[in-house]
């Protein structure tokens, strides 16, 4: 689902919560999409709306324009004690009834919950506010331990970096792994973190300094078609296996083996989208080794098969 993406801006939204969706959806990247265009991005706000303590928005779009959107994004609230504007809540309900995809970033989940759009659904928000969300809206099944949740057509994310993860996940759904990975590389951010990964709730045991793993990650990407073990990664990083696990957890939010599987899976998705290689060949090129192993990981993580995934993209290409 591409089309119109509308950001529902309310007073005192944080700067990052505004910048993340603007960067992902509001920057024209149509050169990546083989003629499919990019999102028509609109910031919708009533009059002069303050962003953090720094700026006042000036946009021609109001909450009425949310009703024409294909995707509505609600960024984090600045003050959870303030009720969201009634006209915003009403517009969200109408957009949802019309069939729009509804997305909240961080504490934007409180606004969707106020509109009743999370009733009976799993949802997440920043772990610091998950208890408040659950108490205030008991009909919402709050999961504080994940990065983002897709309860189509309603999606919710945890805190700041998870908001970026969810935006990239939407690009992945709409345009495929290759485009999403390219966007992530341009932003120098991990290309794909599964929504089920844990939030960073406790203080990391080592500082979150991605430079420590940059060379190791780059080397692994260049050699995905080769057998790579955790010992290989540790040697490349110049640390013990135990330290490697600690660094991956603190910097990438997952363990080395899971990260490696996800990179191999992303490579397989790109090959399925853009080549006519056989499944066996793709399994070799992505490092899974056998078609059976590729299919098993596809089913486990993406809940589909490589053949079905390829057919979906063949249909998309034929439709253009």
């Amino acid at each position: 689902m591409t089309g119109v993406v509308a950001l529902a801006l309310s007073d005192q939204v944080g700067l990052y919560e505004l910048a993340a969706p603007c960067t992902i959806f509001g920057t024209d990247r149509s050169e990546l999409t083989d003629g499919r265009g990019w999102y028509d991005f609109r910031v919708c706000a009533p009059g002069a709306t303050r962003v953090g303590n720094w700026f006042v928005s000036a946009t021609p779009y109001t909450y009425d324009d949310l009703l024409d959107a294909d995707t509505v994004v609600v960024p984090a609230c600045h003050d959870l004690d303030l009720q969201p504007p009634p006209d915003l809540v009403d517009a969200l309900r109408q957009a949802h009834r019309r069939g729009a995809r509804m997305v909240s970033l961080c504490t934007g989940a409180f606004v969707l919950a106020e509109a009743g759009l999370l009733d009976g659904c799993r949802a997440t928000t920043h772990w610091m506010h998950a208890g408040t969300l659950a108490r205030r809206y008991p009909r919402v099944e709050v999961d504080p331990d994940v990065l983002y949740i897709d309860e189509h057509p309603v999606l919710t994310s945890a805190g700041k970096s998870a908001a970026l993860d969810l935006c990239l996940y939407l690009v992945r759904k709409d345009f495929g792994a290759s485009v999403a990975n390219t966007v992530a590389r341009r932003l120098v951010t991990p290309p794909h973190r599964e929504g089920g990964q844990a939030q960073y709730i406790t203080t990391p045991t080592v500082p979150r300094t991605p430079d420590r793993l940059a060379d190791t990650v780059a080397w692994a990407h260049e050699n995905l078609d080769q057998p790579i073990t955790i010992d290989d990664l540790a040697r490349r990083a110049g640390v013990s296996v135990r330290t490697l696990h600690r660094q991956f957890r603190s910097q990438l939010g997952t363990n080395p083996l899971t990260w490696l599987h996800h990179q191999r899976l992303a490579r397989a998705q790109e090959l399925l989208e853009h080549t006519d290689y056989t499944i066996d060949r793709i399994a070799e090129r992505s490092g899974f080794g056998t078609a059976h192993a590729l299919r098993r990981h596809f089913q486990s993580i993406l809940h589909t098969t490589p053949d079905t995934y390829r057919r979906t993209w063949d249909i998309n290409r034929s439709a253009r």
Side-chain angles (χ1 to χ4, degrees):
M1 181 188 294
T2 53
V4 176
V5 175
L7 183 75
L9 185 62
S10 56
D11 212 31
Q12 296 294 325
V13 165
L15 183 59
Y16 184 93
E17 287 75 10
L18 174 64
C22 287
T23 298
I24 298 297
F25 306 118
T27 301
D28 184 6
R29 305 182 194 275
S30 54
E31 77 278 6
L32 305 176
T33 65
D34 297 328
R36 286 176 285 168
W38 195 247
Y39 303 98
D40 179 357
F41 183 70
R42 304 172 183 179
V43 176
C44 302
T49 301
R50 184 169 294 279
V51 179
N53 295 314
W54 302 280
F55 306 109
V56 174
S57 70
T59 174
Y61 301 107
T62 69
Y63 290 154
D64 289 338
D65 293 290
L66 297 177
L67 308 186
D68 298 323
D70 299 286
T71 300
V72 175
V73 180
V74 182
C77 310
H78 178 72
D79 187 345
L80 297 182
D81 293 328
L82 294 177
Q83 286 291 107
D87 51 344
L88 171 58
V89 172
D90 182 61
L92 293 175
R93 288 173 180 153
Q94 292 187 57
H96 180 259
R97 282 196 297 268
R98 199 185 56 78
R101 182 169 60 183
M102 311 299 292
V103 180
S104 69
L105 307 179
C106 194
T107 52
F110 283 78
V111 183
L112 293 189
E114 182 65 25
L117 305 187
L118 300 182
D119 289 354
C121 296
R122 283 181 66 236
T124 193
T125 188
H126 193 291
W127 61 269
M128 290 180 63
H129 306 296
T132 302
L133 181 65
R135 287 191 299 272
R136 191 175 295 178
Y137 302 100
R139 297 184 64 184
V140 180
E141 183 185 341
V142 179
D143 187 342
D145 298 325
V146 295
L147 296 178
Y148 54 86
I149 293 175
D150 183 351
E151 290 272 286
H152 183 75
V154 181
L155 301 91
T156 54
S157 84
K160 294 185 187 321
S161 63
L164 186 60
D165 289 325
L166 179 53
C167 291
L168 285 169
Y169 170 76
L170 292 172
V171 173
R172 195 179 193 89
K173 290 189 68 172
D174 295 338
F175 291 107
S178 179
V179 173
N181 291 346
T182 300
V183 173
R185 282 194 293 270
R186 291 183 178 182
L187 298 177
V188 197
T189 191
H192 183 50
R193 292 200 295 172
E194 290 293 322
Q197 291 182 28
Q199 294 187 36
Y200 296 106
I201 296 179
T202 57
T203 302
T205 54
V206 295
R208 291 188 62 203
T209 50
D211 286 347
R212 292 189 178 188
L213 289 176
D215 290 341
T216 304
V217 165
W219 173 82
H221 274 291
E222 292 172 2
N223 294 276
L224 284 176
D225 60 333
Q226 302 297 317
I228 299 175
T229 67
I230 304 307
D231 287 335
D232 293 333
L233 292 173
R235 278 193 296 272
R236 187 75 188 182
V239 297
S240 68
V241 170
R242 184 175 181 180
T243 298
L244 184 78
H245 274 269
R246 202 160 56 234
Q247 290 181 351
F248 264 77
R249 279 289 180 192
S250 65
Q251 296 173 32
L252 298 177
T254 188
N255 63 66
L257 184 59
T258 299
W259 177 86
L260 186 59
H261 285 330
H262 287 160
Q263 307 319 302
R264 295 193 189 283
L265 194 62
R267 175 68 55 81
Q269 288 176 279
E270 291 186 8
L271 293 172
L272 287 165
E273 293 171 20
H274 298 293
T275 75
D276 295 322
Y277 291 160
T278 65
I279 300 301
D280 289 298
R281 177 72 168 143
I282 289 174
E284 293 173 2
R285 291 288 299 271
S286 58
F288 285 110
T290 67
H292 174 74
L294 174 60
R295 289 189 173 98
R296 178 163 53 83
H297 283 90
F298 240 82
Q299 188 63 52
S300 173
I301 297 173
L302 298 179
H303 309 296
T304 187
T305 67
D307 307 88
T308 301
Y309 186 88
R310 168 172 272 170
R311 282 196 298 271
T312 299
W313 285 97
D314 284 343
I315 290 171
N316 287 343
R317 283 195 294 267
S318 298
R320 296 200 296 270

